[in-house]
Amino acid sequence: MIRLTELKLPLDHPEDALPALIVKTLGIQPAELLRHSIYKRSYDARKQKLLLVYIADVELASPELEATLLRQFEADPHIRPAPDQSYHLVAQVDSAPAVRPVVVGFGPCGIFAALLLAQMGFKPIVLERGKKVRERTKDTWGLWRKGVLNPESNVQFGEGGAGTFSDGKLWSQIKDPRFLGRKVMLEFVKAGAPEEILLVSKPHIGTFKLVKVVEHMREQITALGGEIRFQQRVSDVLIEGGPDGKHIRGLTVQNLQDGSSYELRADHVVLALGHSARDTFAMLHERGVYMEAKPFSVGFRIEHPQSLIDRARLGQHAGHPLLGAADYKLVHHAANGRSVYSFCMCPGGTVVAATSEVGRVVTNGMSQYSRNERNANAGIVVGITPADYPGGPLAGIAFQRQLESHAFTLGGGGYVAPGQLVGDFVAGQASTQLGSVEPSYKPGVLMTDLASALPGYAITAMREALPAFGKKIKGFDMFDAVLTGVETRTSSPLRITRGDDFQSLNVRGLYPAGEGASYAGGILSAGVDGIEVAEAVALDITKTARA
């Protein structure tokens, strides 16, 4: 197989244009092209005439011809051998160990850790503090529609993790030499995701489709002997010392359905917590598990009419069905040394209430697969470091909570969020009424002054950045665009540091993983990390069994 990259064609090209371009690029006869498949499709909108850009895998009439062409085009970076992207399990056992591996958390990382362990025959036990995804969806809507929060079942906690109530983005900038991201995508398609995610450059699933995908992946895990226990919160870790250091030996688990507790024996525990498991972080810190503070970002959600973003980004091609709703990615380095950037952009989506704690307001963004809501939204956030919140590994959580509690107060209670028009924010004056942009956040938005919602350095940097973004995307700093506060959970404020063997630096058998431990940032990278951690667990178990 040969892989061709940078194959460019007009937006509305005929179906036979791609094979014709392949034939022309390789200098072969049409009959010598046996078949081709599209690996990726993106678009180049840098010029007025928008072009589709393809990566295609090509099979020719004979292996000899392929070898000849690869030698002929050896210096051409866009004509290379197609890589082998198939996945191979690192271990396979006929029966699960007497002490089965445990996965704590059933978000993207936990799902893939459990799925891989199940595929290898280890029959993992999964502990998820939240509910099954459909029950969880009802609780989440209870907050959005009625202002009633369930602290154990919400946007952050429950089957599927925080990624379930998001845009369902499935791309990442991680290095992936083993093509584990492809394994993640193929498992999603196997579980019911649209096959289109395998070929578009910026794939996404959307919340409603993710619900069904997550359910099907759960069914696969249980069919392979895995066990998933919902509403089970890990309240303590049982750690023993030994001549070679500390080892995990079990967990104390609280059954949230009846309040009872029990101990679960465990020698291998995957901590796929997510970045909002603040009580668990505190417990692990108290038990001496090594962790450290790390940088993260805070800011607001911004909303524009999606049509404005489409026109600015796609010009005359705005609204074309093949392109869908346009997105953007922006960054500005402010005069005070702070970086301001767009985060988790959701085309044609909504701003959602994402708190998991009583009396606090947190925002996030979400889109459905169709991305056809009237507004575009994104986080506009400012980078901060542990120097901004000194006090040890848990200081970032305290910093987040302070901002979230103040946002609750600014919104007037009831999980109403504080908001402000962009024009008023830049001018430093309070907003008293909405303009042409209707905010999508529920339970509602109270127009006010957001100047006190973030530290002064963040407000200053954002007031400088918004007009600068308006020069990059026409209309981005429109007066009536709406800012909604606060966005605080961009990533985990701490790292549960691990070694090259994926285990905690000071507790053997404990495997920090995914976003909560700061080893992923999004659904795809979390899934990849779950695979790598599962492999490490499997290899350690089999090594111990052989010894």
Side-chain angles (χ1 to χ4, degrees):
M1 294 280 285
I2 297 176
R3 174 161 293 178
L4 303 182
T5 59
E6 291 295 307
L7 296 170
K8 297 185 177 182
L9 289 168
L11 179 58
D12 291 309
H13 65 78
E15 189 173 344
D16 60 356
L18 182 57
L21 180 57
I22 292 171
V23 166
K24 179 181 178 181
T25 300
L26 294 175
I28 60 176
Q29 297 299 315
E32 293 176 310
L33 176 61
L34 191 61
R35 62 179 60 88
H36 74 281
S37 60
I38 298 171
Y39 178 70
K40 279 286 182 273
R41 184 189 70 222
S42 58
Y43 62 83
D44 185 346
R46 290 174 294 181
K47 298 180 180 179
Q48 187 173 5
K49 186 177 181 181
L50 186 147
L51 296 173
L52 292 178
V53 184
Y54 291 95
I55 299 174
D57 288 336
V58 174
E59 185 177 353
L60 302 182
S62 72
E64 293 76 18
L65 178 58
E66 289 183 10
T68 298
L69 289 172
L70 286 171
R71 287 194 298 270
Q72 178 183 335
F73 291 103
E74 187 176 6
D76 191 330
H78 302 303
I79 303 175
R80 312 301 300 168
D84 179 8
Q85 298 185 56
S86 55
Y87 179 77
H88 304 281
L89 296 172
V90 300
Q92 188 76 60
V93 295
D94 296 327
S95 59
V99 181
R100 294 154 66 185
V102 176
V103 177
V104 182
F106 203 52
C109 180
I111 288 172
F112 276 92
L115 179 65
L116 263 291
L117 287 168
Q119 289 176 346
M120 290 185 281
F122 291 96
K123 299 182 179 179
I125 297 171
V126 179
L127 302 174
E128 167 56 53
R129 69 190 296 169
K131 299 180 182 179
K132 293 182 179 179
V133 67
R134 291 191 184 271
E135 298 174 54
R136 174 195 181 198
T137 300
K138 294 178 183 177
D139 292 333
T140 301
W141 280 101
L143 172 61
W144 296 348
R145 290 174 172 170
K146 302 176 183 178
V148 177
L149 172 68
N150 183 335
E152 297 291 351
S153 180
N154 45 63
V155 166
Q156 307 296 344
F157 299 143
E159 184 177 27
T164 303
F165 298 97
S166 69
D167 191 43
K169 298 178 184 68
L170 296 175
W171 70 88
S172 174
Q173 296 179 324
I174 60 170
K175 294 180 180 179
D176 189 17
R178 296 177 56 207
F179 304 103
L180 297 181
R182 192 70 173 178
K183 165 72 169 173
V184 171
M185 303 289 270
L186 288 169
E187 291 292 351
F188 277 137
V189 171
K190 179 181 175 182
E195 289 194 26
E196 181 191 51
I197 68 172
L198 295 174
L199 64 93
V200 296
S201 62
K202 293 183 177 180
H204 74 284
I205 299 180
T207 291
F208 287 165
K209 289 184 181 293
L210 267 171
V211 167
K212 294 180 180 179
V213 168
V214 166
E215 287 180 323
H216 290 158
M217 296 186 79
R218 181 218 307 160
E219 291 166 0
Q220 290 179 47
I221 294 167
T222 55
L224 292 167
E227 180 184 350
I228 302 167
R229 304 178 185 177
F230 291 100
Q231 295 182 266
Q232 308 293 303
R233 183 173 64 84
V234 173
S235 58
D236 206 352
V237 289
L238 308 177
I239 298 173
E240 292 181 359
D244 57 345
K246 297 178 180 178
H247 292 257
I248 188 77
R249 286 295 178 253
L251 305 169
T252 301
V253 184
Q254 182 182 13
N255 184 337
L256 298 178
Q257 299 174 72
D258 60 17
S260 63
S261 293
Y262 60 94
E263 288 187 3
L264 179 64
R265 177 85 164 83
D267 295 329
H268 296 82
V269 176
V270 177
L271 289 175
L273 300 174
H275 56 53
S276 292
R278 293 166 167 174
D279 51 355
T280 310
F281 293 147
M283 177 272 292
L284 292 169
H285 183 257
E286 186 177 343
R287 291 290 174 263
V289 176
Y290 184 83
M291 58 183 69
E292 53 193 332
K294 61 168 278 292
F296 62 104
S297 300
V298 296
F300 305 129
R301 278 274 145 182
I302 191 168
E303 288 189 88
H304 301 88
Q306 181 62 49
S307 58
L308 181 148
I309 303 299
D310 290 344
R311 289 193 302 271
R313 299 283 288 128
L314 302 176
Q316 62 180 326
H317 303 292
H320 193 286
L322 196 61
L323 302 177
D327 63 4
Y328 58 78
K329 186 175 182 179
L330 296 165
V331 63
H332 175 75
H333 300 289
N336 67 358
R338 301 286 172 167
S339 292
V340 184
Y341 63 96
S342 60
F343 169 80
C344 186
M345 194 271 158
C346 297
T350 55
V351 178
V352 299
T355 187
S356 56
E357 296 182 334
V358 174
R360 297 188 169 101
V361 163
V362 182
T363 62
N364 195 10
M366 183 181 83
S367 294
Q368 301 301 342
Y369 180 71
S370 60
R371 289 179 166 175
N372 62 1
E373 299 292 335
R374 65 182 181 273
N375 289 350
N377 78 79
I380 300 297
V381 297
V382 180
I384 60 175
T385 73
D388 297 310
Y389 50 91
L394 302 181
I397 293 174
F399 182 84
Q400 290 174 324
R401 281 174 164 160
Q402 180 182 6
L403 297 180
E404 294 164 12
S405 295
H406 185 56
F408 185 88
T409 300
L410 283 176
Y415 301 99
V416 171
Q420 191 172 11
L421 302 183
V422 164
D424 287 331
F425 176 78
V426 172
Q429 60 193 25
S431 293
T432 57
Q433 60 183 18
L434 292 170
S436 59
V437 179
E438 181 73 24
S440 57
Y441 175 96
K442 302 296 181 187
V445 175
L446 176 68
M447 302 311 289
T448 183
D449 187 348
L450 291 174
S452 66
L454 297 174
Y457 56 77
I459 297 295
T460 298
M462 290 180 68
R463 283 177 174 158
E464 178 185 319
L466 289 168
F469 291 158
K471 294 177 181 178
K472 298 177 181 180
I473 296 179
K474 186 178 180 180
F476 195 89
D477 57 343
M478 66 179 286
F479 196 98
D480 287 357
V482 175
L483 295 169
T484 307
V486 286
E487 177 105 4
T488 51
R489 304 194 193 180
T490 53
S491 66
S492 182
L494 57 84
R495 176 178 291 106
I496 307 176
T497 316
R498 68 192 186 196
D500 292 340
D501 60 1
F502 294 88
Q503 298 185 56
S504 162
L505 291 185
N506 67 337
V507 181
R508 302 291 299 171
L510 201 60
Y511 292 79
E515 286 205 38
S518 291
Y519 288 99
I523 294 172
L524 184 64
S525 61
V528 168
D529 198 57
I531 292 173
E532 292 187 308
V533 169
E535 291 177 338
V537 170
L539 291 173
D540 192 70
I541 293 174
T542 53
K543 178 186 69 176
T544 303
R546 287 194 299 269

